[in-house]
Amino acid sequence: MKKEKRDLILAFESSCDETSVAVIENGKRILANVVATQINSQKRFGGVVPEVASRHHIEQVTICLADAMQRAQVTYDDLSAVAVTYGPGLVGALLVGVTAAKAVAFAHHLPLIPVNHMAGHIYAARFAGEIKFPALALLVSGGHTELVYLPKVNCYQIIGETRDDAAGEAYDKIGRVMGIPYPAGRQIDELAHQGKDTFNFPRAMLNEDNFDFSFSGLKSAFINTVHHAEQLHQNLDQADLAASFQQSVIEVLIGKTVKALEKYPVKQLILAGGVAANTGLRTSLAQAMQRFPQTDFLQAPLKLCGDNAAMIGAAGYVAWKGGQRADLSLNAVPGLEFDWIK
């Protein structure tokens, strides 16, 4: 039996507040995935401070690189290419990863592969199973909420996106009001399972004839409800508040996704992004997918929903095989969007 060729991608991720370096074999096997988180530093500020994030990346990137190479038990001569997130994200944070990747690629004469961070989130699902095309991806992260149509490999079309706050941003903002430290998503999810949807918060844009999202109104309704109760010296049930907020988010996400699935007959739905780790969303979407027995439901592994370099390595492998390359003029693009290729 012929042995499969061993293609190794060294990947860098530094778009926000996680410094990560990974080594990925053939786009689907993790040999190493080192993640240095800044949560303890950033929670002091109630969110990510870009300058603080950049300084942490500078301190951690070479440490993570050495650790990843050691864990993977490979040398630079074994590598096939270097992949790196070049956007979207915080410009200073992105530049650290881009600079490190360019240095390694230049020093070891390796191809440099530019990766869209959101494509990385999609391809995190590849570690749970093969991606089948055409596919639809629901991307729910701290800074993005998008429905992306994938007609073929390495081809993306945003068919719906948030017009204001992303779902993850809304979680963190209402978390501050509730006194929950950053990042608030996991604790709100846990609280939601202990409460009931008693506040009936708005389901914005749910019945509109599009696939876009809006969570700013929900955030405002939540904050106004809490502040009004405080003025009246009323104590609101924290679990019910969390349950009501989360139910609104989930119903909108699932409602829009179902509409998209009805219009775009796809072989697979992919759930990915940081908020994809939310157990309420995962359970409810799995139930909704029973309406589409011909469509597979592929979820990014829980440990790979947050920012990490393994997902960048998986997306980078696909881009590399598709002939994508960058030269040493590659720069950070904080507002990067998907390029729709017809």
Side-chain angles (χ1 to χ4, degrees):
M1 184 175 178
K2 188 176 179 180
K3 190 175 180 181
E4 185 180 19
K5 185 176 182 295
R6 195 174 188 232
D7 290 321
L8 300 180
I9 305 293
L10 176 68
F12 291 82
E13 158 60 29
S14 66
S15 63
C16 190
D17 60 344
E18 314 284 357
T19 312
S20 185
V21 181
V23 180
I24 305 301
E25 182 178 355
N26 296 330
K28 57 187 177 182
R29 182 178 173 223
I30 301 174
L31 300 185
N33 186 33
V34 179
V35 181
T37 183
Q38 302 177 18
I39 287 177
N40 288 334
S41 292
Q42 301 289 0
K43 69 170 50 175
R44 295 175 296 166
F45 311 107
V48 180
V49 177
E51 177 64 19
V52 174
S54 300
R55 290 180 181 273
H56 275 288
H57 287 309
I58 292 170
E59 294 169 357
Q60 293 294 327
V61 67
T62 54
I63 297 172
C64 290
L65 172 59
D67 195 5
M69 295 292 287
Q70 183 177 17
R71 291 189 192 187
Q73 296 184 329
V74 298
T75 67
Y76 288 107
D77 289 338
D78 298 321
L79 300 176
S80 304
V82 180
V84 61
T85 301
Y86 74 112
L90 304 174
V91 63
L94 288 165
L95 281 169
V96 177
V98 168
T99 302
K102 289 199 293 187
V104 172
F106 175 76
H108 300 281
H109 309 288
L110 292 166
L112 180 65
I113 315 301
V115 176
N116 184 309
H117 177 75
M118 303 312 293
H121 275 304
I122 292 174
Y123 275 89
R126 197 177 188 206
F127 296 111
E130 285 297 320
I131 294 178
K132 302 174 184 178
F133 300 93
L136 181 72
L138 173 60
L139 294 181
V140 198
S141 70
H144 296 79
T145 302
E146 299 173 346
L147 278 166
V148 183
Y149 176 59
L150 295 85
K152 58 184 179 180
V153 66
N154 209 31
C155 187
Y156 314 88
Q157 179 189 11
I158 296 177
I159 62 171
E161 59 188 334
T162 184
R163 296 185 181 180
D164 39 60
D165 287 348
E169 288 176 310
Y171 268 92
D172 287 331
K173 287 176 180 177
I174 71 111
R176 291 176 203 162
V177 176
M178 297 177 71
I180 298 174
Y182 169 87
R186 178 181 294 182
Q187 193 168 336
I188 292 173
D189 184 25
E190 293 171 354
L191 265 176
H193 286 81
Q194 303 167 29
K196 297 179 180 179
D197 179 11
T198 60
F199 291 93
N200 194 29
F201 290 127
R203 274 67 169 161
M205 299 181 65
L206 183 57
N207 297 316
E208 292 190 13
D209 189 23
N210 56 54
F211 306 122
D212 288 343
F213 306 91
S214 172
F215 296 105
S216 180
L218 167 61
K219 174 201 67 180
S220 297
F222 183 98
I223 293 173
N224 289 339
T225 297
V226 173
H227 286 175
H228 181 67
E230 289 174 349
Q231 290 170 357
L232 297 177
H233 303 289
Q234 295 176 344
N235 291 321
L236 302 181
D237 187 281
Q238 294 283 91
D240 286 349
L241 278 170
S244 300
F245 170 81
Q246 179 153 296
Q247 189 60 31
S248 176
V249 172
I250 289 174
E251 284 188 21
V252 171
L253 291 174
I254 293 178
K256 293 288 187 171
T257 302
V258 166
K259 285 183 180 179
L261 287 170
E262 290 171 346
K263 182 173 181 179
Y264 293 84
V266 295
K267 294 181 179 179
Q268 194 171 64
L269 173 69
I270 300 166
L271 175 63
V275 183
N278 183 285
T279 57
L281 176 59
R282 292 171 85 93
T283 301
S284 297
L285 190 52
Q287 293 172 348
M289 287 303 295
Q290 294 176 10
R291 292 177 49 186
F292 303 92
Q294 304 303 315
T295 304
D296 289 345
F297 182 35
L298 187 63
Q299 304 178 73
L302 280 173
K303 65 180 180 180
L304 297 179
C305 285
D307 294 348
N308 66 89
M311 68 184 195
I312 303 305
Y317 174 83
V318 171
W320 175 58
K321 287 295 186 181
Q324 287 186 236
R325 302 288 188 275
D327 58 29
L328 295 181
S329 67
L330 180 68
N331 202 355
V333 183
L336 181 68
E337 296 183 359
F338 282 122
D339 290 326
W340 168 226
I341 304 171
K342 295 183 180 180

